[in-house]
Amino acid sequence: KQLKQVFSPKQKFLLNIFEADDELSRAVAINQYEVGYVKPLENKVVEQEEQITILQPKGKFYDSVIQSETLLDIGEVSKLLNYKGLGRNNLFRYLRENSILNNKNLPYQTYIDRGYFKIVESSWVNPSTKLVEVSIKTVMFQKGIDWLDKLLSEHFVKSKD
């Protein structure tokens, strides 16, 4: 009896079958095994298959979005994520304070390597000097936006609008 206490439910059902003295007792034990162990597992499998059917299209959509090469600047990201009090400037501050961006608002290499950020150059003509100047801008991939959303959700609340 002490040994029976450490058995799993499945082992206890099977032990009852093997300990049965006659065919009727064995049939009752087998029925208890079916009803108490096998049927709940079958029900769980059906439930999980239904969940898979529901989630599969969502997973495919998520994968396609995450692999997107579309780039958004930090201002667009802050609007898209829509956290209370976290506009462009506050998002830049948060990213600097959490050592994701440096003091020039450029991402540290590790976050670029993860595929979250990209630094893009653009040239423009300064109207006062008539010289071509180059500016550097931090932009994010969808993969990075998803990562950032998860990070921010631990500290901020989404806006209702």
PDB file of all heavy atoms in Angstrom, residues 17-33:
ATOM      1  N   ILE A  17      -5.905  -3.166 -12.625  1.00  0.00           N
ATOM      2  CA  ILE A  17      -6.220  -4.180 -13.640  1.00  0.00           C
ATOM      3  C   ILE A  17      -5.451  -5.460 -13.356  1.00  0.00           C
ATOM      4  O   ILE A  17      -6.009  -6.560 -13.365  1.00  0.00           O
ATOM      5  CB  ILE A  17      -5.899  -3.654 -15.063  1.00  0.00           C
ATOM      6  CG1 ILE A  17      -6.830  -2.488 -15.423  1.00  0.00           C
ATOM      7  CG2 ILE A  17      -6.017  -4.769 -16.095  1.00  0.00           C
ATOM      8  CD1 ILE A  17      -6.427  -1.745 -16.686  1.00  0.00           C
ATOM      9  N   PHE A  18      -4.154  -5.321 -13.078  1.00  0.00           N
ATOM     10  CA  PHE A  18      -3.324  -6.508 -12.841  1.00  0.00           C
ATOM     11  C   PHE A  18      -3.655  -7.201 -11.517  1.00  0.00           C
ATOM     12  O   PHE A  18      -3.477  -8.405 -11.377  1.00  0.00           O
ATOM     13  CB  PHE A  18      -1.844  -6.146 -12.897  1.00  0.00           C
ATOM     14  CG  PHE A  18      -1.378  -5.785 -14.277  1.00  0.00           C
ATOM     15  CD1 PHE A  18      -0.937  -4.511 -14.571  1.00  0.00           C
ATOM     16  CD2 PHE A  18      -1.411  -6.717 -15.301  1.00  0.00           C
ATOM     17  CE1 PHE A  18      -0.521  -4.169 -15.847  1.00  0.00           C
ATOM     18  CE2 PHE A  18      -0.996  -6.393 -16.585  1.00  0.00           C
ATOM     19  CZ  PHE A  18      -0.552  -5.115 -16.855  1.00  0.00           C
ATOM     20  N   GLU A  19      -4.152  -6.449 -10.539  1.00  0.00           N
ATOM     21  CA  GLU A  19      -4.476  -7.039  -9.241  1.00  0.00           C
ATOM     22  C   GLU A  19      -5.860  -7.686  -9.217  1.00  0.00           C
ATOM     23  O   GLU A  19      -6.211  -8.358  -8.256  1.00  0.00           O
ATOM     24  CB  GLU A  19      -4.407  -5.966  -8.141  1.00  0.00           C
ATOM     25  CG  GLU A  19      -3.004  -5.548  -7.803  1.00  0.00           C
ATOM     26  CD  GLU A  19      -2.959  -4.470  -6.723  1.00  0.00           C
ATOM     27  OE1 GLU A  19      -3.992  -3.816  -6.471  1.00  0.00           O
ATOM     28  OE2 GLU A  19      -1.888  -4.291  -6.135  1.00  0.00           O
ATOM     29  N   ALA A  20      -6.657  -7.456 -10.255  1.00  0.00           N
ATOM     30  CA  ALA A  20      -8.018  -8.015 -10.279  1.00  0.00           C
ATOM     31  C   ALA A  20      -7.956  -9.539 -10.239  1.00  0.00           C
ATOM     32  O   ALA A  20      -7.180 -10.161 -10.954  1.00  0.00           O
ATOM     33  CB  ALA A  20      -8.753  -7.530 -11.519  1.00  0.00           C
ATOM     34  N   ASP A  21      -8.828 -10.121  -9.389  1.00  0.00           N
ATOM     35  CA  ASP A  21      -8.816 -11.574  -9.186  1.00  0.00           C
ATOM     36  C   ASP A  21      -9.613 -12.342 -10.233  1.00  0.00           C
ATOM     37  O   ASP A  21      -9.303 -13.487 -10.537  1.00  0.00           O
ATOM     38  CB  ASP A  21      -9.375 -11.924  -7.796  1.00  0.00           C
ATOM     39  CG  ASP A  21      -8.484 -11.395  -6.684  1.00  0.00           C
ATOM     40  OD1 ASP A  21      -7.272 -11.254  -6.921  1.00  0.00           O
ATOM     41  OD2 ASP A  21      -9.010 -11.128  -5.588  1.00  0.00           O
ATOM     42  N   ASP A  22     -10.642 -11.717 -10.775  1.00  0.00           N
ATOM     43  CA  ASP A  22     -11.493 -12.441 -11.719  1.00  0.00           C
ATOM     44  C   ASP A  22     -11.809 -11.555 -12.917  1.00  0.00           C
ATOM     45  O   ASP A  22     -11.455 -10.381 -12.937  1.00  0.00           O
ATOM     46  CB  ASP A  22     -12.781 -12.914 -11.033  1.00  0.00           C
ATOM     47  CG  ASP A  22     -13.519 -11.765 -10.369  1.00  0.00           C
ATOM     48  OD1 ASP A  22     -13.871 -10.792 -11.073  1.00  0.00           O
ATOM     49  OD2 ASP A  22     -13.739 -11.823  -9.134  1.00  0.00           O
ATOM     50  N   GLU A  23     -12.476 -12.122 -13.886  1.00  0.00           N
ATOM     51  CA  GLU A  23     -12.768 -11.399 -15.128  1.00  0.00           C
ATOM     52  C   GLU A  23     -13.648 -10.179 -14.891  1.00  0.00           C
ATOM     53  O   GLU A  23     -13.443  -9.137 -15.496  1.00  0.00           O
ATOM     54  CB  GLU A  23     -13.443 -12.344 -16.139  1.00  0.00           C
ATOM     55  CG  GLU A  23     -12.504 -13.352 -16.755  1.00  0.00           C
ATOM     56  CD  GLU A  23     -11.351 -12.691 -17.512  1.00  0.00           C
ATOM     57  OE1 GLU A  23     -11.590 -11.747 -18.295  1.00  0.00           O
ATOM     58  OE2 GLU A  23     -10.201 -13.114 -17.315  1.00  0.00           O
ATOM     59  N   LEU A  24     -14.633 -10.296 -14.016  1.00  0.00           N
ATOM     60  CA  LEU A  24     -15.525  -9.175 -13.743  1.00  0.00           C
ATOM     61  C   LEU A  24     -14.756  -8.019 -13.099  1.00  0.00           C
ATOM     62  O   LEU A  24     -14.894  -6.866 -13.508  1.00  0.00           O
ATOM     63  CB  LEU A  24     -16.692  -9.616 -12.844  1.00  0.00           C
ATOM     64  CG  LEU A  24     -17.695  -8.519 -12.494  1.00  0.00           C
ATOM     65  CD1 LEU A  24     -18.330  -7.933 -13.761  1.00  0.00           C
ATOM     66  CD2 LEU A  24     -18.776  -9.044 -11.565  1.00  0.00           C
ATOM     67  N   SER A  25     -13.930  -8.331 -12.121  1.00  0.00           N
ATOM     68  CA  SER A  25     -13.123  -7.296 -11.466  1.00  0.00           C
ATOM     69  C   SER A  25     -12.157  -6.650 -12.456  1.00  0.00           C
ATOM     70  O   SER A  25     -11.945  -5.436 -12.445  1.00  0.00           O
ATOM     71  CB  SER A  25     -12.319  -7.894 -10.303  1.00  0.00           C
ATOM     72  OG  SER A  25     -13.171  -8.426  -9.343  1.00  0.00           O
ATOM     73  N   ARG A  26     -11.595  -7.491 -13.323  1.00  0.00           N
ATOM     74  CA  ARG A  26     -10.673  -6.987 -14.332  1.00  0.00           C
ATOM     75  C   ARG A  26     -11.418  -6.070 -15.325  1.00  0.00           C
ATOM     76  O   ARG A  26     -10.927  -5.007 -15.698  1.00  0.00           O
ATOM     77  CB  ARG A  26      -9.993  -8.145 -15.069  1.00  0.00           C
ATOM     78  CG  ARG A  26      -8.884  -7.682 -16.019  1.00  0.00           C
ATOM     79  CD  ARG A  26      -8.027  -8.824 -16.562  1.00  0.00           C
ATOM     80  NE  ARG A  26      -7.166  -9.335 -15.502  1.00  0.00           N
ATOM     81  CZ  ARG A  26      -7.271 -10.551 -14.956  1.00  0.00           C
ATOM     82  NH1 ARG A  26      -8.167 -11.403 -15.376  1.00  0.00           N
ATOM     83  NH2 ARG A  26      -6.454 -10.932 -13.992  1.00  0.00           N
ATOM     84  N   ALA A  27     -12.621  -6.444 -15.732  1.00  0.00           N
ATOM     85  CA  ALA A  27     -13.416  -5.639 -16.652  1.00  0.00           C
ATOM     86  C   ALA A  27     -13.780  -4.297 -16.011  1.00  0.00           C
ATOM     87  O   ALA A  27     -13.730  -3.244 -16.659  1.00  0.00           O
ATOM     88  CB  ALA A  27     -14.679  -6.395 -17.061  1.00  0.00           C
ATOM     89  N   VAL A  28     -14.132  -4.333 -14.727  1.00  0.00           N
ATOM     90  CA  VAL A  28     -14.443  -3.085 -14.008  1.00  0.00           C
ATOM     91  C   VAL A  28     -13.195  -2.201 -13.948  1.00  0.00           C
ATOM     92  O   VAL A  28     -13.264  -0.988 -14.183  1.00  0.00           O
ATOM     93  CB  VAL A  28     -14.987  -3.389 -12.587  1.00  0.00           C
ATOM     94  CG1 VAL A  28     -15.047  -2.128 -11.737  1.00  0.00           C
ATOM     95  CG2 VAL A  28     -16.355  -4.043 -12.673  1.00  0.00           C
ATOM     96  N   ALA A  29     -12.041  -2.778 -13.653  1.00  0.00           N
ATOM     97  CA  ALA A  29     -10.789  -2.014 -13.563  1.00  0.00           C
ATOM     98  C   ALA A  29     -10.408  -1.420 -14.915  1.00  0.00           C
ATOM     99  O   ALA A  29      -9.947  -0.276 -14.999  1.00  0.00           O
ATOM    100  CB  ALA A  29      -9.668  -2.906 -13.030  1.00  0.00           C
ATOM    101  N   ILE A  30     -10.617  -2.194 -15.978  1.00  0.00           N
ATOM    102  CA  ILE A  30     -10.325  -1.696 -17.325  1.00  0.00           C
ATOM    103  C   ILE A  30     -11.262  -0.541 -17.661  1.00  0.00           C
ATOM    104  O   ILE A  30     -10.840   0.478 -18.217  1.00  0.00           O
ATOM    105  CB  ILE A  30     -10.423  -2.827 -18.372  1.00  0.00           C
ATOM    106  CG1 ILE A  30      -9.256  -3.808 -18.194  1.00  0.00           C
ATOM    107  CG2 ILE A  30     -10.461  -2.267 -19.790  1.00  0.00           C
ATOM    108  CD1 ILE A  30      -9.373  -5.072 -19.008  1.00  0.00           C
ATOM    109  N   ASN A  31     -12.530  -0.682 -17.308  1.00  0.00           N
ATOM    110  CA  ASN A  31     -13.503   0.389 -17.546  1.00  0.00           C
ATOM    111  C   ASN A  31     -13.106   1.649 -16.768  1.00  0.00           C
ATOM    112  O   ASN A  31     -13.193   2.767 -17.296  1.00  0.00           O
ATOM    113  CB  ASN A  31     -14.909  -0.075 -17.156  1.00  0.00           C
ATOM    114  CG  ASN A  31     -15.945   0.966 -17.523  1.00  0.00           C
ATOM    115  OD1 ASN A  31     -15.997   1.410 -18.658  1.00  0.00           O
ATOM    116  ND2 ASN A  31     -16.754   1.354 -16.557  1.00  0.00           N
ATOM    117  N   GLN A  32     -12.678   1.491 -15.521  1.00  0.00           N
ATOM    118  CA  GLN A  32     -12.235   2.641 -14.724  1.00  0.00           C
ATOM    119  C   GLN A  32     -11.019   3.310 -15.368  1.00  0.00           C
ATOM    120  O   GLN A  32     -10.909   4.528 -15.387  1.00  0.00           O
ATOM    121  CB  GLN A  32     -11.896   2.206 -13.295  1.00  0.00           C
ATOM    122  CG  GLN A  32     -13.101   1.863 -12.466  1.00  0.00           C
ATOM    123  CD  GLN A  32     -12.721   1.300 -11.117  1.00  0.00           C
ATOM    124  OE1 GLN A  32     -11.628   0.767 -10.931  1.00  0.00           O
ATOM    125  NE2 GLN A  32     -13.654   1.402 -10.169  1.00  0.00           N
ATOM    126  N   TYR A  33     -10.125   2.495 -15.912  1.00  0.00           N
ATOM    127  CA  TYR A  33      -8.948   3.027 -16.613  1.00  0.00           C
ATOM    128  C   TYR A  33      -9.385   3.844 -17.831  1.00  0.00           C
ATOM    129  O   TYR A  33      -8.910   4.957 -18.053  1.00  0.00           O
ATOM    130  CB  TYR A  33      -8.033   1.870 -17.030  1.00  0.00           C
ATOM    131  CG  TYR A  33      -6.867   2.268 -17.900  1.00  0.00           C
ATOM    132  CD1 TYR A  33      -5.786   2.943 -17.342  1.00  0.00           C
ATOM    133  CD2 TYR A  33      -6.836   1.964 -19.257  1.00  0.00           C
ATOM    134  CE1 TYR A  33      -4.700   3.311 -18.125  1.00  0.00           C
ATOM    135  CE2 TYR A  33      -5.760   2.327 -20.044  1.00  0.00           C
ATOM    136  CZ  TYR A  33      -4.702   2.994 -19.476  1.00  0.00           C
ATOM    137  OH  TYR A  33      -3.632   3.363 -20.249  1.00  0.00           O
TER     138      TYR A  33
END
